[in-house]
Amino acid sequence: MKKFFTLMALFAITASSQAGDIANGKKIYKKINCTMCHNANGSGKASDVSKIRMTKGPKIAGLDAAYVAEQVIAVQSKKRKTKNTAMMYAKVKKLSKKEIADVAAYVASLGPKYKGMFQK
């Protein structure tokens, strides 16, 4: 039982040390203009057919922070390349790991958490 509590404490410390700062993430989100493609609330513009847009980012609000950070790092390292990631690369290329974690925490705070990839 003692091992269980030790492991739980270690997990809690690790998880909290990797958590991002939501307030700072909001500032960075605005500063690098994520709103251009993902809207201020993270709702995305991919489904906005009312106007012709060159920037049609997907909905990101409420995505898991670890997943968001993983995707930003993949764009930053050029492991993820699509027709839309070139613009994103220009915005995220100089972000530190801490800044990415902060933005990811902010994005995760924007909406309900996704339980599955195809949840509506």
Side-chain angles (χ1 to χ4, degrees):
M1 192 66 146
K2 188 175 179 180
K3 277 186 176 182
F4 173 76
F5 289 115
T6 303
L7 285 172
M8 291 306 291
L10 181 61
F11 175 75
I13 291 167
T14 303
S16 66
S17 69
Q18 294 176 351
D21 178 335
I22 294 172
N24 191 48
K26 182 176 183 178
K27 291 176 189 174
I28 296 166
Y29 188 90
K30 288 181 178 182
K31 180 181 176 183
I32 65 174
N33 198 14
C34 299
T35 60
M36 178 185 289
C37 300
H38 299 288
N39 282 328
N41 63 0
S43 64
K45 296 181 180 180
S47 62
D48 185 355
V49 293
S50 63
K51 298 178 184 176
I52 297 174
R53 297 185 186 272
M54 291 180 64
T55 55
K56 295 182 180 182
K59 178 179 180 177
I60 56 173
L63 289 175
D64 181 71
Y67 174 78
V68 173
E70 178 183 308
Q71 297 309 306
V72 172
I73 291 167
V75 170
Q76 191 182 54
S77 66
K78 296 187 176 183
K79 289 181 181 173
R80 179 177 178 190
K81 289 185 180 184
T82 68
K83 64 180 181 175
N84 300 317
T85 55
M87 183 183 300
M88 188 170 165
Y89 172 78
K91 295 174 177 297
V92 303
K93 67 182 177 184
K94 293 183 180 178
L95 292 180
S96 69
K97 299 270 189 217
K98 172 71 171 111
E99 289 170 322
I100 291 171
D102 292 350
V103 170
Y106 173 66
V107 167
S109 77
L110 290 175
K113 304 295 181 224
Y114 289 121
K115 293 181 182 173
M117 189 169 190
F118 301 104
Q119 179 182 356
K120 292 183 180 187

